[in-house]
Amino acid sequence: ATERTFSIIKPDATKRNITGKVIDRLEGAGLRVIASKRIQMTREQAEGFYGVHRERPFFADLCDFMTSGPVVVQVLEGENAVAKNREVMGATNPADAAPGTIRADFAESIEANSVHGSDAPETAAEEIKFFFTEQELVG
Ligand code: CMP
């Protein structure tokens, strides 16, 4: 079924000016960008967005990193968009990511791993709402 997922192009990728290369991979996988904005995340946004990770040892570093430069937040639409996006991103740790995936080809580390993608349709709905209004989604 047609589905929506939420994506972030992270500061390591905006810093290297490779947002187009990342989007090319997403579009090449059949995903359509139906909303996109480049933003500087505030501390409050980073801590709120990654709230499920609050107790993890990497939480503070993660929030530091996500506020260290611009990010591009996007909504992607397509057949099985959540799973498809996860497939094209590759494993969280680039050392484990399959060849040809975004993280295998572009990520610098488990933290500076170039992209975020929702892990399930329910999470996607929440993450989309965190950054976008319904009117901003143009399919
Ligand atoms: P993301 O999909 O954005 O969700 C949480 C992020 O935490 C994850 O990608 C990683 O970039 C980051 N992170 C940093 N250290 C770790 C770790 N040890 N395990 C899992 N995620 C980590």
Side-chain angles (χ1 to χ4, degrees):
T2 300
E3 204 172 67
R4 287 172 178 177
T5 191
F6 176 75
S7 163
I8 305 177
I9 304 178
K10 297 189 181 186
D12 65 285
T14 59
K15 190 173 183 180
R16 284 176 286 154
N17 202 27
I18 57 170
T19 61
K21 289 184 179 174
V22 171
I23 295 165
D24 188 54
R25 300 291 184 95
L26 303 174
E27 290 181 340
L31 295 164
R32 181 176 295 269
V33 178
I34 63 161
S36 179
K37 53 190 170 192
R38 183 176 174 104
I39 61 167
Q40 170 66 51
M41 251 195 226
T42 64
R43 187 85 200 172
E44 290 66 31
Q45 280 177 314
E47 289 180 354
F49 181 78
Y50 281 119
V52 294
H53 297 306
R54 197 169 286 276
E55 305 305 324
R56 305 267 214 123
F58 58 82
F59 180 70
D61 282 347
L62 171 62
C63 294
D64 286 344
F65 173 65
M66 292 303 289
T67 56
S68 69
V71 300
V72 180
V73 291
Q74 297 186 303
V75 179
L76 310 175
E77 189 175 83
E79 274 292 304
N80 300 313
V82 172
K84 194 169 279 181
N85 184 39
R86 292 181 71 75
E87 199 178 303
V88 70
M89 287 193 299
T92 304
N93 187 345
D96 303 328
T101 60
I102 292 170
R103 284 162 170 163
D105 291 344
F106 301 129
E108 298 177 320
S109 67
I110 192 167
E111 177 175 88
N113 66 351
S114 303
V115 280
H116 164 81
S118 309
D119 61 7
E122 302 72 36
T123 328
E126 286 172 22
E127 293 182 346
I128 290 167
K129 257 200 296 186
F130 195 90
F131 286 104
F132 292 97
T133 65
E134 197 62 40
Q135 295 94 303
E136 288 178 304
L137 313 181
V138 184

